[in-house]
Amino acid sequence: MKKVIRLTESDLILLVKRVINESDPKVGTGKKPEGSDRRLYTDENPSDTVSVKFKTKQDVIDTLNKDSFKSKSHARQSQIINLIHQRLRVSLERAKDPEVKKRLRSAFEYIESKKEASKRKTKGMKEGLHDTSWQNDEGDKVTLMDLLNATEDIPVERVSVEELKPYLLTWDGDEEEIIKIDSADLQYPILIFVDNDGEFISIIDGHHRAQKAVRKELKTIKAKVIPINDLPKNIRKVFGHMGRQEEMKEGELTEKCWAGYTQKGMKTMFGKRYPNCVKKTK
C-alpha cells in the first residue's frame, strides 16, 4: 500500500518557492519578473547582461568602461551600478581582514560616487536638462546634460559663498526668479568654469542655487570647478569665447553676455575686467 502524504497549503507554497528558486538562471539582466520570488537581478533573458567584477576599485572602473556597459540605456546602467554597490556593501560588511576591507572600501567609495552621479543624471533627465542649452554663432549646440556627462568624473567640492557673491546674477524685484531661487535644490552642485590657472571665468549653471545659499547665509556651496580647456573639443567650441575672455579687449567683452541677458557696466574679477550681465527685463 502506497503511503499518502498530505500537504498543507503553507507546505505547498514552500515547495513551489523551492522549485522556483532552484530553477533560477545563473546570470540575468537585473530585471525581476513581476510577482516572482526569484533572486534579485535575475531574468529568463540574459541578453543584455554585463559581467561585473568588484574585488578592487580598478575592477569596478574596468567594468564601467566596458563597451557592453556603455552601450546600455541610462536606466540599465543604473541597475548595474546599483548591483555593484549592493554587492560591495555586503562584502565590506562581511570582510574581516584589514587589507581586504581597505581594498573593498576603496572600490565601494568609487561606486558610491558613481551611484550618486547616476541619481543626479536620472533627476536631470526627469527635469528636462536636455532643454537647457548653449549655442555659438555657427549653430553648434551643447545641452546641460551634455555638460554634466562630460564632467561626470570631476569631483564635487565646497566653495566659499562669499567669494562667489561678486559674480552672481541678481533678480531683485523679479518675482518669477525669486520663486526659482526659493525652490532651488542645494543638493546639486553648481558648475563653475575656470581657466588653466584656476582663475574664475563664469558660473555656467547654478545662479539660483548660489543666490539661495547667499540668502540662507551659508558659508559654502557644492560645486564642480571645471577647467574649460579640459572639456571635449565639441563643447569647448561652444564655450570658446569664454576661454578667450582674458585675451579680449573691454569693448569685445561687452558683446559676450548670454542670450536673454544684457550688459550693464563692467566688473572686476581676479584683476580682470568682465561685463556685468543681467537678465533683460520685459
Side-chain angles (χ1 to χ4, degrees), residues 77-187:
Q77 289 181 0
S78 297
Q79 287 180 330
I80 296 167
I81 289 172
N82 288 338
L83 168 62
I84 298 173
H85 183 272
Q86 181 190 49
R87 290 182 176 177
L88 270 170
R89 178 178 57 79
V90 174
S91 298
L92 185 58
E93 290 173 354
R94 294 177 177 176
K96 303 298 182 183
D97 185 271
E99 288 300 318
V100 173
K101 288 181 74 73
K102 181 179 179 181
R103 166 170 53 79
L104 291 175
R105 184 171 300 282
S106 176
F108 179 75
E109 289 174 352
Y110 178 78
I111 197 62
E112 193 163 44
S113 68
K114 290 299 181 182
K115 182 177 179 179
E116 290 302 314
S118 178
K119 286 167 62 176
R120 289 195 296 269
K121 184 174 180 178
T122 299
K123 186 175 188 295
M125 292 172 72
K126 290 179 179 179
E127 294 179 349
L129 294 188
H130 290 286
D131 297 332
T132 301
S133 62
W134 299 266
Q135 189 168 325
N136 62 13
D137 294 338
E138 289 75 38
D140 300 302
K141 182 179 178 181
V142 170
T143 68
L144 180 51
M145 186 57 71
D146 294 331
L147 187 57
L148 290 174
N149 287 337
T151 59
E152 183 178 1
D153 292 331
I154 294 180
V156 175
E157 57 185 281
R158 310 227 36 129
V159 300
S160 167
V161 173
E162 188 66 29
E163 291 184 11
L164 290 176
K165 284 183 180 179
Y167 317 127
L168 296 181
L169 299 175
T170 58
W171 298 281
D172 294 336
D174 190 327
E175 294 183 3
E176 182 179 342
E177 298 298 336
I178 299 302
I179 291 174
K180 290 181 181 179
I181 291 172
D182 291 338
S183 62
D185 191 345
L186 295 178
Q187 176 184 351

Side-chain angles (χ1 to χ4, degrees), residues 157 159-169 190-207 210-211 221-229 239 241-247 253 258 267-277:
E157 57 185 281
V159 300
S160 167
V161 173
E162 188 66 29
E163 291 184 11
L164 290 176
K165 284 183 180 179
Y167 317 127
L168 296 181
L169 299 175
I190 66 174
L191 306 181
I192 301 173
F193 279 170
V194 296
D195 63 18
N196 286 349
D197 297 324
E199 293 191 359
F200 182 94
I201 293 177
S202 173
I203 298 174
I204 195 64
D205 178 66
H207 277 277
Q211 281 285 4
I221 186 173
K222 289 182 178 180
K224 281 195 172 190
V225 180
I226 305 166
I228 195 168
N229 290 322
F239 296 113
H241 64 282
M242 291 185 177
R244 295 193 305 270
Q245 279 188 2
E246 60 185 11
E247 300 172 3
L253 283 169
W258 300 284
K267 58 187 177 184
T268 300
M269 298 190 299
F270 298 104
K272 299 179 177 65
R273 298 287 286 166
Y274 293 87
N276 181 37
C277 297

Side-chain angles (χ1 to χ4, degrees), residues 48-75:
D48 69 336
T49 298
V50 176
S51 61
V52 300
K53 291 184 179 180
F54 54 89
K55 288 185 178 181
T56 67
K57 177 181 176 180
Q58 191 59 50
D59 281 344
V60 180
I61 293 173
D62 291 342
T63 296
L64 301 189
N65 281 332
K66 287 182 177 180
D67 290 338
S68 57
F69 174 83
K70 292 183 176 181
S71 64
K72 300 295 183 287
S73 66
H74 171 66

